[in-house]
Amino acid sequence: MNRTIITVVGKDTIGIIAKVCVYLAEHQVNILDISQTIVQEYFNMMMIVDMAKLEIPFEQAAAELSELGQGMGVQVKCQREEIFDMMHRI
């Protein structure tokens, strides 16, 4: 398994989850867990995904997701699970 953490943060708008999920499905990325909240008008989503079947380089997928987010006015970040864990160790 090639687990990756995807975070999406920004002003809420229609279709954020749909657009991110469509991109992931088109690239054979399996969503393992998803959590989203909206506080007032601000959207926050965290996904744990499996990119084992991804057919393009990870860096390309991360850049394309970031561009997708920019088009919606949100910030999308992808981090490999091991890097995310190292950054958030106490």
Side-chain angles (χ1 to χ4, degrees):
M1 197 173 326
N2 188 354
R3 290 167 48 127
T4 299
I5 311 301
I6 298 175
T7 57
V8 182
V9 179
K11 202 119 174 158
D12 189 29
T13 187
I14 295 171
I16 297 171
I17 297 171
K19 289 177 184 174
V20 172
C21 289
V22 165
Y23 178 90
L24 296 176
E26 288 174 347
H27 291 85
Q28 305 302 310
V29 176
N30 186 34
I31 299 169
L32 303 172
D33 199 359
I34 182 171
S35 171
Q36 64 95 29
T37 58
I38 299 171
V39 177
Q40 294 185 8
E41 69 265 12
Y42 294 96
F43 178 86
N44 183 34
M45 178 170 66
M46 181 174 170
M47 307 172 91
I48 301 173
V49 301
D50 179 7
M51 290 192 161
K53 295 182 180 178
L54 184 68
E55 296 177 349
I56 60 175
F58 173 84
E59 294 76 15
Q60 180 181 343
E64 289 175 357
L65 281 164
S66 180
E67 288 175 25
L68 179 69
Q70 287 176 0
M72 295 183 287
V74 298
Q75 184 179 56
V76 180
K77 289 190 178 183
C78 297
Q79 293 180 303
R80 296 188 189 274
E81 182 181 42
E82 59 271 14
I83 294 172
F84 186 87
D85 286 345
M86 291 299 240
M87 288 176 55
H88 295 91
R89 279 179 47 186
I90 296 177

